[in-house]
């Protein structure tokens, strides 16, 4: 019996040892895999290369900061973004950001984890936070997005050299003064909201006074077109105090005072600074693209667009360059007059303007969109014969409400716009690949024809069969 017990004990010990050894080996292999992946990531990052990742990336997603592209190999937009994405990785070589990409057709688990619904999708991962990029797919814009997201919503400018580096962004918002004021709290609230699109800084009055003459403390400025412009609006706290004083004065004049209305809770949308940032977040003469169009329309101004056409090298003809320069001349000479009411810009893609006007515009041209009513205005004169004086008369007539307006947001206009965009899309498809377009349109039409033919022919065949049966019965009788 003792020998049997000893044998059983040795056998149990052997099994336990083997299980423990197997578990430790699995842990070692897993740890080694993670270490190897991390070393490869570090090596690729130091070389400025794009990391080709798989579903093994998921356990590492919260380690550090990631700029990710989720793509599909068959996607045309993904192929167009590929060389740009490599340049993005090279531009961020010194930043603590890992640039990677995932083929969502091979690793669907990753696509499900991040809720990917379209390709390509660009995201910035920072711990538990995930930010989706919605701007233009250019190297400059994507790199600026990554640099904004890698830091806090409000980045502090410590010295004159930091200020000069911030000016390289060409447009940013800056707060100067104590960081313990209600104005800074409002500024920080807006900075968190606009972090994906705008640079927000804070700076001491000593550094700021070297660039502008400070008349208020604290104060907020926007830097654009190489000039600092101040925020002269009423802050949210001042607006609430004035509303409270107005309520008290009304109570004094009434016999039976009413209960004061509760103060509206502070959110980024009801702050005074939000409307100002939304209106001032573009330079005087911005390039209008599809990625910026919705934000430009959110300015609640008349959007004036010089409609031009760029070639594949992003160049425009001398004639269009002269037209663009004439528009810029009018803007610069009348900035104080028009800045509050108009946001000026130009586009090198006529398709965007044609979609708004619902017609093919001649080039060059001038289009003015009312961002509130979605109506648009076109000059009555031939655009190529426009002069600076004629442009000013045209803009003044829009402000006076005398210029003819077209379009709008009624259901009839929306229906016609859908028809125009569908027709334009089919035309572009036919010009690009007529064979594929014919196949895509021909197959559904062929199936529909077969269905209708079978439905119609079924009635005819039934009628012929009934006639044959009647003739057979008549002959039999």
């Amino acid at each position: 019996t003792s020998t049997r017990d000893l044998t059983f004990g040795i056998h149990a010990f052997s099994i336990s040892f083997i299980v423990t050894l197997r578990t430790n080996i699995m842990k070692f292999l897993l740890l080694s895999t993670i270490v190897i992946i991390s070393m490869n990531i570090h090596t690729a990052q130091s070389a400025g290369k794009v990391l080709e990742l798989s579903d093994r990336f998921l356990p590492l997603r919260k380690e550090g900061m990631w700029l990710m592209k989720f793509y599909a190999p068959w996607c045309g937009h993904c192929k167009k973004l590929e060389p740009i994405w490599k340049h993005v990785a090279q531009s961020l070589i010194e930043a603590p950001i890992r640039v990677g990409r995932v083929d969502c057709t091979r690793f669907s688990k990753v696509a499900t984890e991040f809720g990917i619904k379209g390709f390509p999708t660009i995201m910035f991962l920072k711990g538990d936070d995930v930010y989706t990029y919605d701007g233009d797919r250019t190297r400059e814009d994507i790199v600026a997005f990554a640099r904004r997201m890698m830091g806090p919503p409000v980045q502090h400018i410590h010295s004159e050299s930091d200020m000069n580096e911030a000016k390289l962004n060409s447009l940013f918002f800056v707060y100067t003064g104590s960081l313990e004021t209600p104005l800074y709290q409002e500024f920080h609230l807006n900075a968190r909201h606009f972090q994906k699109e705008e640079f927000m800084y804070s700076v001491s009055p000593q550094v700021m006074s070297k660039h502008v003459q400070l008349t208020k403390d604290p104060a907020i400025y926007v830097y654009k077109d190489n000039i600092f412009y101040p925020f002269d609006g009423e802050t949210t706290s001042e607006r609430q105090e004035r509303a409270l004083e107005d309520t008290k004065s009304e109570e004094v004049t009434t016999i039976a005072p009413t209960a004061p209305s509760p103060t509206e809770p502070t959110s980024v949308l009801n702050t005074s600074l939000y409307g100002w940032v939304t209106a001032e977040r573009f330079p005087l003469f911005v390039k209008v693209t599809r990625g910026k169009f919705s934000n430009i329309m959110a300015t609640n101004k008349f959007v004036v667009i010089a409609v031009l056409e760029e070639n594949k090298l992003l160049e425009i003809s001398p004639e269009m360059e002269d037209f663009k320069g004439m528009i810029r001349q009018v803007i610069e000479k009348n900035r104080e007059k028009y800045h509050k009411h108009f946001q000026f810009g130009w586009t090198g893609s006529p398709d965007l303007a044609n979609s708004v006007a619902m017609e093919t515009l001649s080039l060059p041209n001038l289009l003015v969109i009312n961002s509130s009513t979605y109506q648009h205005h076109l000059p009555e004169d031939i655009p190529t014969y426009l002069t600076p004086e004629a442009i000013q008369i045209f803009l003044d007539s829009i402000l006076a409400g005398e210029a003819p307006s077209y379009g709008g947001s009624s259901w009839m206009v929306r229906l016609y716009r859908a028809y125009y965009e569908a027709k334009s899309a089919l035309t572009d498809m036919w010009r690009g690949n007529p064979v594929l377009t014919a196949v895509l349109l021909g197959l559904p039409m062929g199936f529909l024809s077969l269905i209708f033919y079978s439905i119609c022919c079924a009635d005819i065949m039934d009628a012929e069969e009934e006639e044959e049966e009647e003739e057979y019965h008549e002959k039999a009788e």
Side-chain angles (χ1 to χ4, degrees):
T1 305
S2 59
T3 304
R4 186 180 301 174
D5 293 341
L6 179 62
T7 303
F8 178 79
I10 294 174
H11 182 68
F13 174 77
S14 301
I15 293 175
S16 175
F17 176 76
I18 292 172
V19 171
T20 304
L21 181 62
R22 184 180 298 174
T23 303
N24 290 334
I25 291 175
M26 293 296 294
K27 290 181 179 178
F28 175 76
L29 291 176
L30 179 62
L31 180 61
S32 300
T33 303
I34 293 176
V35 171
I36 292 172
I37 293 174
S38 300
M39 291 176 63
N40 291 336
I41 287 174
H42 178 74
T43 303
Q45 182 184 0
S46 61
K49 296 181 179 179
V50 177
L51 305 173
E52 188 69 44
L53 302 172
S54 64
D55 49 9
R56 294 182 180 180
F57 151 74
L58 292 178
L60 304 173
R61 54 167 290 194
K62 296 183 181 180
E63 297 182 7
M65 293 178 287
W66 299 81
L67 183 63
M68 298 296 302
K69 180 185 75 169
F70 302 92
Y71 73 100
W74 47 261
C75 172
H77 295 291
C78 300
K79 295 177 181 178
K80 186 177 180 181
L81 180 61
E82 185 60 28
I84 298 174
W85 198 246
K86 292 180 181 178
H87 292 155
V88 168
Q90 294 171 359
S91 300
L92 295 173
I93 187 173
E94 297 181 357
I97 301 173
R98 301 165 182 172
V99 181
R101 66 174 189 171
V102 176
D103 182 356
C104 293
T105 60
R106 293 178 57 198
F107 307 104
S108 57
K109 184 178 179 181
V110 178
T112 304
E113 175 75 15
F114 291 97
I116 305 301
K117 301 184 183 301
F119 304 111
T121 296
I122 299 174
M123 289 184 174
F124 187 90
L125 313 181
K126 188 177 181 180
D128 294 326
D129 299 325
V130 178
Y131 304 92
T132 303
Y133 177 71
D134 301 317
D136 293 322
R137 298 186 188 119
T138 63
R139 181 189 65 84
E140 295 79 9
D141 290 335
I142 297 174
V143 169
F145 164 75
R147 293 193 181 279
R148 283 192 296 268
M149 302 312 301
M150 65 180 282
V154 179
Q155 303 180 40
H156 188 67
I157 295 175
H158 297 87
S159 61
E160 185 67 19
S161 60
D162 291 344
M163 177 65 80
N164 294 331
E165 185 177 352
K167 285 184 177 181
L168 297 177
N169 299 317
S170 72
L171 193 149
F172 61 88
F173 296 87
V174 59
Y175 170 91
T176 179
S178 171
L179 304 183
E180 304 297 330
T181 64
L183 182 60
Y184 178 75
Q185 295 177 4
E186 187 172 335
F187 181 77
H188 192 275
L189 187 66
N190 281 268
R192 291 177 57 188
H193 180 80
F194 289 103
Q195 187 177 9
K196 292 201 302 181
E197 294 97 8
E198 308 300 335
F199 284 98
M200 300 281 198
Y201 297 98
S202 63
V203 64
S204 65
Q206 290 77 13
V207 175
M208 194 66 191
S209 61
K210 298 178 181 178
H211 300 268
V212 295
Q213 183 177 359
L214 296 177
T215 57
K216 295 173 62 177
D217 186 17
I220 297 174
Y221 294 85
V222 57
Y223 177 81
K224 61 180 182 179
D225 304 314
N226 300 321
I227 300 175
F228 283 98
Y229 296 98
F231 168 63
D232 295 327
E234 188 179 39
T235 65
T236 303
S237 58
E238 293 172 346
R239 185 181 64 196
Q240 292 175 348
E241 291 176 0
R242 179 174 53 80
L244 184 61
E245 292 177 357
D246 293 341
T247 303
K248 290 181 179 179
S249 62
E250 291 177 0
E251 290 178 355
V252 172
T253 58
T254 57
I255 299 175
T258 58
S261 58
T263 303
E264 185 179 7
T266 301
S267 67
V268 67
L269 297 180
N270 61 22
T271 59
S272 303
L273 194 58
Y274 174 81
W276 181 73
V277 172
T278 302
E280 298 294 335
R281 59 193 299 198
F282 297 103
L284 189 64
F285 198 40
V286 64
K287 183 176 181 179
V288 181
T289 61
R290 291 192 179 274
K292 298 177 182 177
F293 186 68
S294 60
N295 289 335
I296 293 175
M297 291 291 287
T299 58
N300 290 324
K301 298 180 179 180
F302 288 100
V303 180
V304 184
I305 304 177
V307 185
L308 313 172
E309 185 173 25
E310 294 177 318
N311 57 22
K312 293 182 179 180
L313 299 177
L314 302 181
E315 299 173 343
I316 58 178
S317 64
E319 178 189 3
M320 294 187 184
E321 192 67 52
D322 293 339
F323 185 83
K324 178 182 174 183
M326 180 179 62
I327 301 296
R328 178 182 286 276
Q329 179 184 359
V330 173
I331 301 168
E332 293 175 347
K333 287 186 176 181
N334 299 274
R335 186 189 186 281
E336 297 299 325
K337 178 181 179 181
Y338 292 139
H339 174 70
K340 183 178 179 181
H341 307 285
F342 294 99
Q343 173 60 57
F344 293 90
W346 66 278
T347 181
S349 173
D351 295 340
L352 179 62
N354 294 340
S355 178
V356 174
M358 296 175 290
E359 61 177 289
T360 303
L361 299 174
S362 60
L363 299 177
N365 214 316
L366 191 64
L367 175 69
V368 181
I369 310 170
N370 188 327
S371 60
S372 300
T373 64
Y374 296 98
Q375 293 179 320
H376 63 273
H377 308 271
L378 294 168
E380 297 181 355
D381 300 332
I382 299 175
T384 52
Y385 294 152
L386 285 174
T387 61
E389 294 76 16
I391 293 174
Q392 292 185 50
I393 294 173
F394 175 54
L395 297 178
D396 292 340
S397 66
I398 292 175
L399 288 178
E402 300 172 353
S405 59
Y406 311 94
S409 57
S410 64
W411 69 271
M412 284 291 292
V413 174
R414 292 179 182 179
L415 187 64
Y416 183 77
R417 178 171 281 112
Y419 159 75
Y420 177 81
E421 291 181 352
K423 184 183 72 172
S424 301
L426 290 175
T427 303
D428 293 339
M429 287 176 59
W430 179 262
R431 290 174 180 172
N433 196 331
V435 177
L436 179 61
T437 305
V439 172
L440 292 176
L441 295 179
L443 286 177
M445 294 298 293
F447 282 120
L448 289 175
S449 300
L450 288 175
I451 293 172
F452 285 123
Y453 179 78
S454 61
I455 293 173
C456 297
C457 289
D459 296 337
I460 297 173
M461 294 294 292
D462 291 340
E464 290 179 353
E465 289 178 359
E466 290 177 359
E467 291 178 359
E468 290 178 358
E469 289 179 359
E470 290 177 357
E471 291 178 358
Y472 175 77
H473 287 303
E474 288 177 358
K475 290 179 180 180
E477 292 177 355

